[in-house]
Amino acid sequence: MMEILEGSHAVAEAVRLCRPQVVAAYPITPQTHIVEALASMVADCKLDAEYICVESEFSALSACLGASAAGSRVYSATTSQGLALMFEVCFNVAGMRQPIVMTIANRALGAPLNIWNDQQDSISLRDAGWLQFYAEDNQEATDLHFIAYRVAEDHRVLLPVMVCFDGFILTHTYEPVDIPSQEAIDAFLPPYKPVNILDAKNPMSLGMYATPDYYMEFRYEIDQAQKRAKEVFAEVGAEFAKQFGRDYSGLVEGYRLEDADMAFIAMGSICGTVREAIDEMRAEGKKVGLLKIRSFRPFPSEEIRAALSGVSKVAVLDKNISLGQKGAVALEVRDALYGSEIDVKGYILALGGRDVRQADIKAIAGLLEKGEGDQFFGLRTEVL
Amino acid sequence: MTEECELFECGHRACGGCGPALAARLILKATGENTIVVASTGCMEVFSTPYPETAWKVPWIHSLFENAAAVASGIEASLKKQERDEHVVCICGDGATFDIGMLCISGAFERGHDITYICYDNEAYMNTGIQRSGATPYDADTTTSPAGKCSTGNPRPKKDLPAILAAHGATYVATASIAYPNDLIKKVQRAVSTHGPNYIQVHAPCATGWGFDGSQTIAVGRLAIETGLWVNYEMMNGEVERVRKVAHRKPVDDYLSVQKRFRHLYRPGRNEDEIAKIQAIADANAKKFGIDLNVVKEE
Ligand SMILES: Cc1ncc(C[n+]2csc(CCOP(=O)(O)OP(=O)(O)O)c2C)c(N)n1
Ligand code: SF4
Ligand SMILES: [Mg+2]
């Protein structure tokens, strides 16, 4: 049913429809509205879950790990400092192959303290073994949760997923969102069938320690599962499209790329701004397009190569920076396009919530044309 | 003890005479097989689960050094949702319990999960090479509280964790020792049959870390009780219920002098001041818990 909902509430509705049995989360701006909504649903018997009111994000994800290992579908949500506090547990959850789904309401990391949006938090955990999906709008944020559980729990994958959507820009914005019915989601997402669980009738040791004789193989297996997740994502996305009419089967999604000479690459809500700027530039006769990255992990290198085969210049918009190096997305795109003639330039922008408008996107197109890039964009030089 | 099916198997890699290994065996005897064990990083985890071998015949999970209580919270919630009835029992080292895991433990106890948290207390971080913890006793020589020209070892007394967890509203709190196996078993049985959260702190001498021969583990454990440096007691809803009495309390020297971690107190000569302070700790314990059977009541 179409409803006008705040992004956080749309996501909370999606989570409810996924029927998690255990929810453990700790409040942090701008994620709070999600966990408050879920707490209300539990209080009103609209969500039949154990809601563990933990004392920290570190315990939130640890409790999720325990509940998942005992055989339950679990859910958490966090952002920024909370995600940073979970760092150690994140690696553990992936290493123990627990298909936990966690929403990230993307926010900057301190210092300085900043509650506004960029994507430094989840990007900084790109190596943890989690799948990472980024939503452009609240409909996509909603739908990616259904897909996330399906992909995570698929026995070919068995990895946790972060569904990332931009803090405030999406979490606190009201948009019309189609919330599927419970019957429809039940048909799409069957109950969780775990593989190895803690069960006194079939005792098993989980989380043992591995010597150099075994450790590498565990890491290899996770990497393989990440790679298998690509086809599972495409499969599940196609199934979702068939049932719900919205297609997320691509790890990447192109916009007006067909005859494009220049392309933008971006993740998350900024893609909406880029689309509009592209329409304006197209009207001015510029052959520009957009390639949106929906799945940052697994990273869609082949898909990016295929999608950009016709372009000669690429501008990568990074809402993060590996300080002392470049933006994470630009680095990986450059790796994906290695050996091609395509000129890839990175632009660090929108950190800590700095606004980006269509005019900015057009200005970046101008820089790219001149061959200027690999730089911060939109700095207030007067305060430096 | 008679030969019977053990839920904690032999063939693990603990040192000879390892108190914590004995604790694990006794704890599982008490819990029975309808139990899920949550472990912390440390000696016990390492010596019992080198992949692909495990000594645990009950379901067992290890995540991190400091999150066992939170993992257990999640397991308990999941079992509740599934209407399953396994006991959820954390078995964790003193470092994991007294120090780095305090946040998770405090949260789990305040929330009132039905779990039993057992600390096997070998009074230091043994797995990483005998560094001090908040459970290390006063004056013990460890690699991070070394005795030296201007140090007599660990400068602080042991943290009173049972009191801290009782103050959290723990249902059942007890201390026990591997040197008194039947008492330990009874306490663990009482804990798992009582709606939690419950806490048991088990004195578990470590031959390697404390510096005594592996054949003396039980003897050292007994001396801790007989000198009053360790007191076995039970608390229900915050009230001390039962205390193990001592007929003729021995001087602390009997306990200290058999362990290398206190050797510096006897070299070159007996350190009268420091040993008097340790004796005062034992005397205070005795008074607080009324363990002395042969005290002459002063009027
Ligand atoms: C976050 C973190 N910090 C430090 C360590 C290193 N470490 C592993 S086990 C351990 C000490 C364990 O001490 P305790 O809990 O007393 O168990 P024991 O080894 O004595 O049985 C330490 C410091 C770790 N694994 N994780
Ligand atoms: S160091 Fe101590 S606790 Fe660790 S295995 Fe050896 S005796 Fe046991
Ligand atoms: Mg220890």
Side-chain angles (χ1 to χ4, degrees):
Chain A
M1 198 176 70
M2 225 23 152
E3 292 175 54
I4 308 284
L5 286 175
E6 190 194 81
S8 297
H9 291 158
V11 164
E13 287 297 327
V15 171
R16 175 181 65 75
L17 292 169
C18 292
R19 299 185 186 274
Q21 292 141 312
V22 177
V23 174
Y26 192 82
I28 176 168
T29 305
Q31 153 268 37
T32 41
H33 293 183
I34 303 174
V35 297
E36 289 168 355
L38 290 171
S40 295
M41 290 173 187
V42 172
D44 291 335
C45 297
K46 288 184 186 151
L47 171 60
D48 183 18
E50 287 291 323
Y51 188 102
I52 313 178
C53 232
V54 285
E55 81 298 335
S56 69
E57 288 88 354
F58 180 79
S59 278
L61 193 55
S62 298
C64 285
L65 170 64
S68 176
S72 292
R73 178 176 289 162
V74 303
Y75 173 77
S76 193
T78 191
T79 174
S80 181
Q81 313 302 135
L83 185 59
L85 190 59
M86 289 177 177
F87 181 92
E88 198 188 6
V89 198
C90 282
F91 277 73
N92 217 250
V93 164
M96 290 172 75
R97 308 298 294 271
Q98 300 300 326
I100 294 168
V101 172
M102 179 158 75
T103 309
I104 308 297
N106 285 111
R107 163 182 154 180
L109 273 163
L113 180 68
N114 175 295
I115 58 168
W116 292 274
N117 167 250
D118 64 35
Q119 295 167 343
Q120 191 70 56
D121 49 1
S122 50
I123 293 283
S124 299
L125 271 157
R126 65 181 185 179
D127 300 334
W130 290 57
L131 310 181
Q132 290 193 354
F133 307 151
Y134 289 79
E136 178 178 346
D137 55 31
N138 285 332
Q139 184 68 63
E140 186 171 16
T142 303
D143 293 339
L144 282 178
H145 283 82
F146 310 126
I147 291 171
Y149 274 109
R150 273 286 300 272
V151 176
E153 293 172 3
D154 191 290
H155 289 189
R156 291 167 289 176
V157 179
L158 287 177
L159 284 174
V161 181
M162 292 182 196
V163 179
C164 307
F165 76 139
D166 289 323
F168 289 116
I169 299 173
L170 294 179
T171 56
H172 286 55
T173 299
Y174 282 74
E175 285 178 356
V177 178
D178 178 35
I179 302 292
S181 70
Q182 186 68 67
E183 297 70 42
I185 292 303
D186 287 348
F188 177 75
L189 178 65
Y192 174 39
K193 283 198 197 67
V195 185
N196 295 325
I197 64 163
L198 298 165
D199 179 4
K201 287 185 217 74
N202 181 23
M204 210 174 281
S205 291
L206 305 182
M208 301 159 73
Y209 98 99
T211 59
D213 287 338
Y214 292 100
Y215 181 83
M216 282 249 292
E217 285 67 24
F218 281 96
R219 307 307 285 172
Y220 172 78
E221 298 260 12
I222 297 173
D223 188 54
Q224 291 298 108
Q226 280 268 353
K227 286 170 180 152
R228 285 194 297 274
K230 285 187 173 190
E231 65 186 66
V232 176
F233 185 89
E235 228 174 87
V236 172
E239 207 182 301
F240 188 88
K242 215 164 132 200
Q243 198 181 329
F244 298 94
R246 293 185 289 272
D247 191 350
Y248 304 104
S249 59
L251 298 155
V252 296
E253 188 180 285
Y255 180 67
R256 304 191 79 168
L257 273 179
E258 297 72 34
D259 60 341
D261 179 47
M262 261 171 31
F264 285 89
I265 294 193
M267 298 200 303
S269 61
I270 196 172
C271 291
T273 313
V274 176
R275 281 174 206 270
E276 289 182 16
I278 284 174
D279 289 346
E280 287 179 20
M281 287 186 276
R282 282 276 178 179
E284 293 157 14
K286 286 202 174 125
K287 291 187 168 176
V288 284
L290 162 73
L291 187 67
K292 155 172 137 179
I293 295 180
R294 181 175 283 127
S295 166
F296 186 63
R297 282 293 177 276
F299 192 74
S301 297
E302 297 80 23
E303 291 79 357
I304 290 172
R305 252 198 315 278
L308 297 183
S309 57
V311 310
S312 61
K313 286 182 163 49
V314 169
V316 184
L317 309 182
D318 264 300
K319 285 190 175 187
N320 75 86
I321 178 165
S322 177
L323 296 164
Q325 237 295 13
K326 299 190 170 68
V329 185
L331 286 170
E332 302 206 9
V333 166
R334 205 166 265 161
D335 171 74
L337 296 178
Y338 181 74
S340 77
E341 303 279 280
I342 303 172
D343 183 19
V344 181
K345 291 276 188 286
Y347 304 87
I348 308 295
L349 77 182
L351 300 188
R354 177 76 44 94
D355 204 17
V356 175
R357 294 151 191 259
Q358 272 125 269
D360 299 318
I361 303 300
K362 288 162 95 170
I364 289 172
L367 289 172
L368 182 66
E369 276 178 331
K370 283 191 278 176
E372 289 173 22
D374 293 340
Q375 62 190 44
F376 276 67
F377 178 85
L379 282 179
R380 292 180 57 208
T381 44
E382 74 275 17
V383 298
L384 286 173
Chain B
M1 224 142 288
T2 53
E3 273 302 311
E4 56 187 281
C5 176
E6 294 284 352
L7 292 170
F8 185 74
E9 273 282 17
C10 55
H12 54 72
R13 289 138 191 237
C15 312
C18 171
L22 178 54
R25 190 171 143 233
L26 296 170
I27 290 165
L28 289 200
K29 264 184 196 304
T31 64
E33 56 189 10
N34 195 36
T35 301
I36 293 172
V37 171
V38 186
S40 57
T41 311
C43 263
M44 188 182 287
E45 170 254 337
V46 169
F47 72 62
S48 66
T49 66
Y51 181 87
E53 295 161 16
T54 180
W56 301 87
K57 288 169 128 184
V58 294
W60 177 96
I61 184 170
H62 159 259
S63 167
L64 299 169
F65 185 19
E66 66 278 30
N67 69 352
V71 172
S73 303
I75 295 172
E76 183 249 22
S78 171
L79 298 185
K80 205 193 267 178
K81 200 90 214 67
Q82 300 175 62
E83 297 180 356
R84 283 164 57 186
D85 66 349
E86 287 108 316
H87 306 304
V88 181
V89 178
C90 298
I91 308 181
C92 303
D94 50 287
T97 306
F98 283 61
D99 297 344
I100 200 165
M102 274 302 283
L103 172 72
C104 295
I105 296 170
S106 177
F109 274 66
E110 174 272 318
R111 290 190 299 272
H113 291 280
D114 186 12
I115 60 173
T116 292
Y117 189 108
I118 303 176
C119 170
Y120 69 93
D121 185 3
N122 57 14
E123 303 191 323
Y125 304 158
M126 296 312 175
N127 186 50
T128 39
I130 324 173
Q131 295 88 17
R132 88 174 280 279
S133 79
T136 301
Y138 182 70
D139 268 356
D141 174 60
T142 73
T143 55
T144 53
S145 63
K149 282 210 180 79
C150 49
S151 160
T152 56
N154 185 40
R156 299 286 302 157
K158 204 175 170 78
K159 191 194 277 190
D160 189 356
L161 202 59
I164 292 168
L165 293 181
H168 275 72
T171 320
Y172 177 70
V173 171
T175 54
S177 164
I178 52 98
Y180 298 85
N182 290 330
D183 177 67
L184 167 56
I185 287 173
K186 261 192 246 146
K187 284 170 175 166
V188 174
Q189 280 169 342
R190 190 164 180 203
V192 295
S193 57
T194 302
H195 195 286
N198 307 309
Y199 176 67
I200 303 181
Q201 190 167 300
V202 181
H203 202 221
C206 161
T208 308
W210 299 7
F212 60 81
D213 187 83
S215 63
Q216 298 305 302
T217 307
I218 303 287
V220 170
R222 282 185 176 270
L223 282 169
I225 294 273
E226 288 162 358
T227 54
L229 283 172
W230 182 276
V231 181
N232 271 352
Y233 58 89
E234 290 181 283
M235 292 170 89
M236 194 52 107
N237 298 316
E239 298 297 325
V240 177
E241 272 193 351
R242 258 185 291 262
V243 178
R244 175 167 203 103
K245 307 266 182 183
V246 178
H248 297 282
R249 192 146 56 83
K250 294 179 174 165
V252 293
D253 294 88
D254 291 20
Y255 179 65
L256 303 177
S257 61
V258 297
Q259 304 175 52
K260 285 195 186 134
R261 61 176 173 160
F262 297 113
R263 179 169 56 181
H264 56 286
L265 299 178
Y266 295 90
R267 286 180 186 184
R270 188 175 184 277
N271 187 329
E272 303 297 337
D273 288 353
E274 287 305 306
I275 293 170
K277 286 187 203 164
I278 298 173
Q279 187 60 57
I281 292 172
D283 293 347
N285 282 344
K287 191 164 170 219
K288 179 174 173 194
F289 291 100
I291 63 172
D292 288 329
L293 274 176
N294 56 334
V295 276
V296 187
K297 275 236 169 103
E298 294 166 40
E299 204 47 50

